Amino acid sequence: MRLLIAELLKLWTTPRTTLGLLLGMLAVVALGTVGMLAAATDEVRMSQTILDDLLSFAAVSATFALIVGVLVVTWEWRHGTMTETFLAAPRRERVVGAKALAAAAAGAVLAAAAVALTLAVAYVWISDEAAVDFGAVWATVGRLVLAGAIWGVLGVGIGALVRSQVAAIVLVFVWFFVLEPLLRVLIEGSDYLPGAALQALTEGGDDVLSSAGGALVATVYAIAAALLGTLATLQRDVA
Amino acid sequence: MIEVHALTKRYGRTVAVDDLSFRVEPARVTGFLGPNGAGKTTTLRTLLGLVRPTSGTATVLGMPYRELDEPTRRVGAVLEATSYHPGRSGRNHLRVAAAAGGLTRSRVDEVLELVQLSADAHRRLRGYSLGMRQRLHLATALLGDPEVLVLDEPANGLDPAGMRWLRDLLRRLADGGRTVLVSSHVLAEVEQIADEVVIIHRGRFVAQSSTAELAARATAATRVRSPQAARLQEALAGQQIGVRGTGDDALAVDAAPERVGELAAAHGVVLHELVAERATLEEAFLELTGGETTR
Ligand SMILES: Nc1ncnc2c1ncn2[C@@H]1O[C@H](COP(=O)(O)OP(=O)(O)OP(=O)(O)O)[C@@H](O)[C@H]1O
Ligand SMILES: [Mg+2]
């Protein structure tokens, strides 16, 4: 518990990075939603479809959650603060666990912020609220927050495995924006790849995976990465 | 109490620590001495559970560091590579450490006061000088008011006033019954701070002795200038004392200045200069090990 507090405090006391990521994400979400609404020629009427389309921009929060997870581990290696962290908590699996929880919390907060901004934009832009099913909106919100939390954990796992900040972030981008999209075109059964699984979760299910199925597969990836990362961290010399 | 037993650490083909054993007792300051690359940092990091030994053991307070329940309250450590996030303030750096160690925030203010950093506590660490960072790390080590203190080259970056302050602090802690282990590659520094020294070289144990004893051996060399250098050289050689000419009228003598002065007087030799040569650490090793550093 105290390790979790320490991890959250680490995020809180590096406001430039933390706020920078939050504002960066909000900028992306704002540009996406406002751009989409502005591009519509007719007057936009509030409908479930429109709202779902808008909320899909908020799904970018998962990518930011992933980066936060990576940073939470790799900046400690980069700045050498892992030494002090392990001196205070020589049982390293607890440190990785605390980092996973902190990143999950941060990912959930990012997702919630992205959703809040999207809903605010929708509210300001569109006057007609009659057609909205709030139950469905809340379900989407819940799925996005869950996705942010899961991807935060995945980020910690990747960071713990790779350890180099630059390498980990390059790896994440190459995989999610180049390799996996390619594989998805080329191979069948690629619906079980991590990016696809997460998409199934955020978009409420596809042909193969339901949203619950997507959540499950994504969680398996995240936990597997965190476990491997823990093993790697236990072996490592901090020299 | 610290106990290192038959400790070996290899990095690939480099043997950083080689079958090293020694004990560090409480209630005194122990210096851990060795030239660059001797394996001091590796030994201390192994002791603190940061590096896995290839073989052998290192324990603090009777157990491996990793098994300590409240490490922050029992062992404080400052390691050579100063580690800090440049964007964090000094106070926040300590708050993080206090949170991880389960300590209160009031303790943070206390240690800031202790290392005289209160006025700079709000500043980002990016703007700290080397000496200020060294103090900050000391503050981190002292947070939990630990029984054992392990410091790797703490004098780095400290000004003379800082050194003096550190010396007094370590003295007080040791007098209060704590175990204090301080590494250094500078003999003069250790001499001032430590009651006892453990010397290692190329990863191996060389000697453990009281500082006074070490100092006595290390100063057993003299530089002397005399217009009758040749006569003095003869007299010294007659006593089986090692001596070399180092200039027209200068000699380097392998003996204490008292001995050289007495001999000169006995032979009626005029001296223009008589200086105790502070032997280098390397020479002190040779002296201690009879010229054989590889046991
Ligand atoms: N992580 C590492 N990987 C490979 N070799 C290492 C590593 N750490 C230390 N070494 C080697 O082990 C030996 C001992 O290094 P160590 O840092 O323990 O010495 P030291 O006594 O602390 O020296 P200094 O006075 O310079 O701090 C050196 O030869 C060094 O090159
Ligand atoms: Mg060193």
Side-chain angles (χ1 to χ4, degrees):
Chain A
M1 186 61 201
R2 57 162 85 140
L3 290 183
L4 177 60
I5 294 172
E7 290 303 328
L8 292 173
L9 201 55
K10 283 175 197 171
L11 280 169
W12 186 252
T13 54
T14 48
R16 289 194 191 180
T17 315
T18 317
L19 266 183
L21 278 168
L22 177 64
L23 293 178
M25 179 200 72
L26 292 179
V28 172
V29 173
L31 280 176
T33 48
V34 172
M36 184 187 134
L37 289 169
T41 41
D42 304 329
E43 189 202 347
V44 188
R45 314 222 40 200
M46 186 61 109
S47 75
Q48 197 57 45
T49 339
I50 287 283
L51 205 55
D52 281 346
D53 283 350
L54 286 177
L55 278 171
S56 72
F57 284 107
V60 75
S61 57
T63 302
F64 281 84
L66 192 60
I67 293 174
V68 168
V70 166
L71 287 183
V72 160
V73 181
T74 55
W75 68 20
E76 292 232 51
W77 288 114
R78 182 170 155 200
H79 296 299
T81 48
M82 212 49 125
T83 294
E84 273 184 16
T85 300
F86 287 158
L87 283 178
R91 284 165 212 166
R92 300 181 187 176
E93 62 279 4
R94 296 190 188 172
V95 172
V96 182
K99 284 186 183 298
L101 288 179
V109 168
L110 281 174
V115 169
L117 178 66
T118 308
L119 293 180
V121 169
Y123 182 79
V124 171
W125 207 281
I126 315 166
S127 45
D128 173 16
E129 288 178 31
V132 179
D133 169 2
F134 279 98
V137 170
W138 285 121
T140 310
V141 171
R143 291 203 308 271
L144 287 173
V145 169
L146 182 61
I150 296 173
W151 251 212
V153 175
L154 179 68
V156 166
I158 293 173
L161 268 173
V162 178
R163 179 151 106 165
S164 147
Q165 187 160 310
V166 176
I169 288 182
V170 168
L171 176 81
V172 161
F173 275 88
V174 168
W175 175 260
F176 285 103
F177 294 104
V178 182
L179 282 181
E180 189 178 324
L182 262 178
L183 288 176
R184 278 209 242 173
V185 177
L186 297 176
I187 309 177
E188 285 193 38
S190 53
D191 297 281
Y192 291 97
L193 290 174
L198 194 83
Q199 205 176 340
L201 168 60
T202 57
E203 292 178 1
D206 54 32
D207 312 337
V208 180
L209 284 171
S210 66
S211 64
L216 187 70
V217 175
T219 306
V220 168
Y221 279 114
I223 302 269
L227 286 179
L228 288 176
T230 305
L231 286 180
T233 305
L234 285 174
Q235 294 305 316
R236 232 152 235 165
D237 282 345
V238 190
Chain B
M1 204 194 47
I2 294 170
E3 222 169 342
V4 172
H5 182 70
L7 187 71
T8 298
K9 176 64 185 180
R10 287 197 196 89
Y11 288 109
R13 293 165 111 202
T14 317
V15 185
V17 178
D18 192 358
D19 195 24
L20 181 65
S21 303
F22 64 89
R23 273 165 72 102
V24 179
E25 302 291 343
R28 63 180 94 158
V29 179
T30 304
F32 189 34
L33 200 54
N36 293 137
K40 304 181 294 291
T41 301
T42 307
T43 304
L44 298 183
R45 283 189 173 264
T46 311
L47 176 68
L48 296 166
L50 296 167
V51 164
R52 231 167 236 278
T54 307
S55 63
T57 56
T59 56
V60 240
L61 298 162
M63 62 183 95
Y65 188 86
R66 287 188 192 204
E67 285 169 23
L68 289 172
D69 255 338
E70 294 275 356
T72 311
R73 289 172 204 266
R74 308 206 63 195
V75 180
V78 179
L79 288 161
E80 171 190 48
T82 43
S83 58
Y84 61 99
H85 189 294
R88 213 169 265 145
S89 71
R91 175 172 278 110
N92 282 337
H93 182 96
L94 287 168
R95 277 179 62 203
V96 166
L103 302 163
T104 60
R105 281 182 64 172
S106 62
R107 193 58 201 147
V108 169
D109 293 321
E110 280 171 37
V111 290
L112 276 169
E113 195 60 48
L114 184 66
V115 302
Q116 300 159 8
L117 273 182
S118 302
D120 296 295
H122 63 281
R123 286 175 55 194
R124 285 172 196 282
L125 296 180
R126 150 179 13 260
Y128 272 38
S129 70
L130 180 60
M132 289 164 74
R133 290 202 300 268
Q134 198 63 266
R135 284 164 189 267
L136 181 77
H137 284 107
L138 265 167
T140 315
L142 295 171
L143 261 179
D145 194 16
E147 298 151 60
V148 176
L149 206 58
V150 176
L151 311 176
D152 196 5
E153 314 251 359
N156 277 353
L158 290 184
D159 53 23
M163 272 300 291
R164 202 209 153 91
W165 165 83
L166 177 69
R167 210 156 58 222
D168 294 346
L169 176 73
L170 297 184
R171 171 65 36 223
R172 251 186 295 135
L173 291 172
D175 288 348
R178 281 159 229 253
T179 308
V180 183
L181 180 62
V182 189
S183 89
S184 173
H185 58 270
V186 184
L187 179 58
E189 213 170 81
V190 169
E191 240 189 283
Q192 291 180 352
I193 284 187
D195 307 304
E196 179 154 324
V197 279
V198 173
I199 300 181
I200 64 168
H201 184 41
R202 301 216 179 107
R204 297 184 191 213
F205 178 87
V206 170
Q208 179 160 12
S209 74
S210 78
T211 313
E213 198 180 313
L214 177 76
R217 298 194 197 211
T219 48
T222 306
R223 185 157 49 85
V224 61
R225 229 157 44 78
S226 162
Q228 297 149 289
R231 248 180 80 198
L232 182 60
Q233 183 161 8
E234 214 168 283
L236 288 162
Q239 300 287 317
Q240 316 299 331
I241 295 170
V243 56
R244 313 177 291 288
T246 54
D248 285 349
D249 58 351
L251 299 173
V253 186
D254 297 335
E258 293 85 349
R259 184 107 171 76
V260 178
E262 281 160 16
L263 253 163
H267 287 78
V269 171
V270 175
L271 298 185
H272 287 169
E273 194 176 331
L274 182 69
V275 183
E277 284 272 89
R278 181 126 301 222
T280 64
L281 180 55
E282 198 68 38
E283 285 163 336
F285 286 151
L286 294 174
E287 180 67 29
L288 274 162
T289 56
E292 183 58 74
T293 49
T294 45
R295 283 193 311 167

